[in-house]
Structures are given as C-alpha cells and as structure tokens.
Amino acid sequence: MTVVVFAAPTVPVLLAGLWWVVCAVPLVFIDAQVHRLPNVITMPAAAGVFALLTMDAVVTDRWEPLLSATICAAAATAVFVSIGLVLGRRGMGLGDAKLILSMTALLGWWGWGAPFGAVFFGFLGAGSVGAVLLASGRVRRGAHIPMGPFFVASAVVMLALPA
C-alpha cells in the first residue's frame, strides 16, 4: 500500500489505488487457490477505480488522464475478453479480463506504458514460473497457472515506478 501512497498525485487517485489494492489482495489468494476471480470483487474494484478517477478529473479539471485510463482499460479488456471467448478454457478466463479492467484503468492514469508494462510483466512472470514448474516436473503440459497473482504483482511494480 505504501507504493500507492507515493505514486498518487491527488487524494482521489490515492483512494482509487488503495481501493484497487484492497480488492486485489483477496483476488490473489482466491485465484491461487481455486483459479477463479469472482465478480463479487472484480466488478466493485473496477467501479470504484473509475468512480474515484472520475472524481479526480472533476475536482482537478484534468480530463486527459481519465481519457487515457478509460481507453487503456477498454482496449485491454476487449483483447482479454476476445481471447477468453475464442480460446475458451484453453485461454484466459473472463475473471482475468475483469481484473485487467480495473488494473489497466488505474495504471492508465499515468499513461499507456504502465498498463502495457503490467500486462507484459504479468505474462513474463507467469511464463517463467510455468517454465520452471515444467522443467522441475511439478506440472505437466496443459496445466493452468492462475494469472491474477502475476498481474497484481506486476501492477504493483508498475505503480512503484512513478513513485
């Protein structure tokens, strides 16, 4: 949470970051255990982030960061939903798409690089762990790796960069 405090330029952005972290922490544990990201957490996370970022835009009269956050979130979510629908159980789950919605909205506030970096490093981290697990014989080909923990960790890293 300290990362969010130092990264936030205003109080509403700080609250958006804290709200997202509060929602993301249980998602990490749930996804790691049952490979699910429940709507009961992912949807309020996204709604809270968008509401607080909108509040910041209204208060500061700076709409460009909100536009950037909205476009980042819409583009990333569209890609993830498409992957989920096309590949089904072999691809990304729709819970991952809902996590990406709130994550890229929050990170999109700082521009396009932060959400892109978080998604990239999330995949890189999951791929590296998957390769190690395969090489060590702990999993077989086709095993599912929960992506939520990797996306949350990479988002926290990307939040640390502006701080």
Side-chain angles (χ1 to χ4, degrees), residues 14 23 27 41-42 56 68 76 83 86 90 116 123 139 149:
L14 167 67
C23 293
L27 288 172
I41 302 173
T42 56
D56 184 74
S68 172
I83 291 170
V86 169
R90 296 172 306 176
F116 177 79
F123 278 120
V139 297

Side-chain angles (χ1 to χ4, degrees), residues 15-62:
L15 294 175
L18 292 175
W19 174 251
W20 185 80
V21 168
V22 165
C23 293
V25 168
L27 288 172
V28 166
F29 292 104
I30 293 167
D31 199 20
Q33 279 211 317
V34 297
H35 295 246
R36 298 274 186 265
L37 293 167
N39 289 343
V40 114
I41 302 173
T42 56
M43 297 314 284
V49 166
F50 275 108
L52 289 162
L53 293 181
T54 301
M55 180 188 306
D56 184 74
V58 168
V59 169
T60 63
D61 198 32
R62 291 187 56 237

